[in-house]
Amino acid sequence: MPVHEFRALYERLRRGAARSTQDGGRPGALRHVTPERVVAAVAEVRLGRTVSLAAPIETVPGPDDPEPAVHRMTGPAPDELGADGLHFATDRFAMNVHGDADSHLDALCHVVLDGELYGGAPASSVTPEGARALSVDLVAHGIVGRGVLLDIPRLRGVPWLEPGDQVTSHDLRAAEAAQGVRVGPGDLLFVRVGHRLRRTELGPWNAATARAGLHPSAMGFLAEREVAVLGGDGNNDTAPSAVPGVSFPVHVLAVHAMGIHLMDYLRFEDLVPVCAQAGRWSFLCAVAPLRLPGATGSPVNPIAVL
């Protein structure tokens, strides 16, 4: 996509998002998740079955995760292991939230473009002490709504998309038709490219330079359907980028122009067989980021309830 076409798409999506926020309500695209739609999403629960959409957190360095999470046991002390009395097992955990391996949610302060955040908030609101605006605090009470999974490898008859491949609006519409589901206002849209399965079968690679994802033009589909949240089993963006000079065009369009919270590097391999067996690809979904004041994102474990 030429840069001038990307910029025109950005301006169109930003103007559309700005017009739809004039009535107030929740920030960004979360305005589409109304109480009525949350109540309606509860009707998706028929099996009483829960499925995690997160991958296990990585603690071993790899080509796509040079700075893995650190998990350290802090107790009990060696001399307490065999001692009488009460002792506790304790540990601590630290991670690079926005890496290329672990499942995480991007806050609306994550993308800075031309000195601004989403909605025109100044980039200076992101300080060394934390973000003063649009941080993950906005979703402190979680995100609950109707989730829809569109499986693009299933549509194309392949186990996964190869790095560099792109999901278009046509793919999303075709997946809807093939799966008998329709994405609607307030939905949490999950798009599978097969990144996790490829990583499991072939081993990790440097996903920063080569990965499948959405073509920037596919964001028009999300705007048309008033999608509230976008989640993928990769980064959502392709690499190499579809737009010269813009490394993460989908992040720019989703977060900065449209105010959509993104979830990157999820895992759908447990959900796909459940959906296939049930013959439906929609479900109640609950997303509960950690309450990290001022943070630009959070590790996340979305739960699908069928």
Side-chain angles (χ1 to χ4, degrees):
M1 172 182 279
V3 174
H4 72 277
E5 290 185 10
F6 171 78
R7 279 288 182 174
L9 176 60
Y10 169 85
E11 292 297 339
R12 177 168 63 84
L13 295 176
R14 186 179 69 165
R15 287 194 299 269
R19 284 194 299 271
S20 63
T21 57
Q22 292 176 352
D23 295 333
R26 299 184 76 183
L30 292 180
R31 65 190 177 276
H32 300 310
V33 188
T34 63
E36 295 78 13
R37 287 171 179 159
V38 174
V39 171
V42 175
E44 298 286 340
V45 180
R46 303 172 196 172
L47 303 178
R49 181 167 181 180
T50 61
V51 184
S52 169
L53 306 187
I57 291 175
E58 302 279 339
T59 57
V60 178
D64 58 349
D65 197 18
E67 297 179 319
V70 177
H71 179 221
R72 293 287 184 266
M73 299 302 296
T74 57
D79 60 350
E80 296 175 332
L81 289 173
D84 294 336
L86 176 65
H87 307 283
F88 293 97
T90 58
D91 50 5
R92 65 182 292 126
F93 166 79
M95 74 177 295
N96 170 19
V97 173
H98 300 287
D100 287 315
D102 296 320
S103 305
H104 64 271
L105 176 139
D106 293 340
L108 296 187
C109 62
H110 178 48
V111 177
V112 182
L113 180 69
D114 298 335
E116 291 184 346
L117 309 179
Y118 166 72
S124 59
S125 62
V126 179
T127 74
E129 291 73 39
R132 298 196 186 103
L134 304 175
S135 75
V136 76
D137 293 339
L138 293 180
V139 286
H141 298 290
I143 306 169
V144 178
R146 178 178 181 255
V148 176
L149 174 64
L150 297 182
D151 190 340
I152 307 306
R154 181 185 183 90
L155 172 71
R156 298 188 186 179
V158 296
W160 54 70
L161 304 190
E162 290 296 338
D165 203 347
Q166 301 171 3
V167 177
T168 65
S169 292
H170 173 76
D171 289 320
L172 298 177
R173 297 180 195 277
E176 282 186 314
Q179 297 174 209
V181 69
R182 181 177 173 83
V183 178
D187 283 352
L188 285 63
L189 174 60
F190 299 98
V191 179
R192 179 177 178 266
V193 298
H195 180 99
R196 286 290 179 186
L197 180 59
R198 188 182 194 276
R199 188 178 189 271
T200 298
E201 295 292 326
L202 303 182
W205 70 96
N206 186 1
T209 60
R211 59 180 180 267
L214 274 66
H215 189 273
S217 61
M219 298 309 295
F221 173 90
L222 277 74
E224 172 193 328
R225 300 297 180 83
E226 297 184 340
V227 166
V229 175
L230 173 63
D233 54 346
N235 178 262
N236 287 298
D237 265 296
T238 61
S241 173
V243 182
V246 182
S247 299
F248 299 91
V250 168
H251 277 65
V252 171
L253 296 175
V255 178
H256 199 277
M258 302 168 68
I260 292 178
H261 285 81
L262 291 184
M263 286 184 284
D264 298 330
Y265 295 107
L266 302 177
R267 184 180 187 276
F268 302 134
E269 310 319 314
D270 295 328
L271 180 62
V272 167
V274 178
C275 287
Q277 183 177 10
R280 59 189 183 93
W281 300 85
S282 59
F283 41 87
L284 178 67
C285 187
V287 182
L290 300 180
R291 299 193 67 168
L292 298 169
T296 65
S298 169
V300 71
N301 180 21
I303 302 296
V305 189
L306 292 91

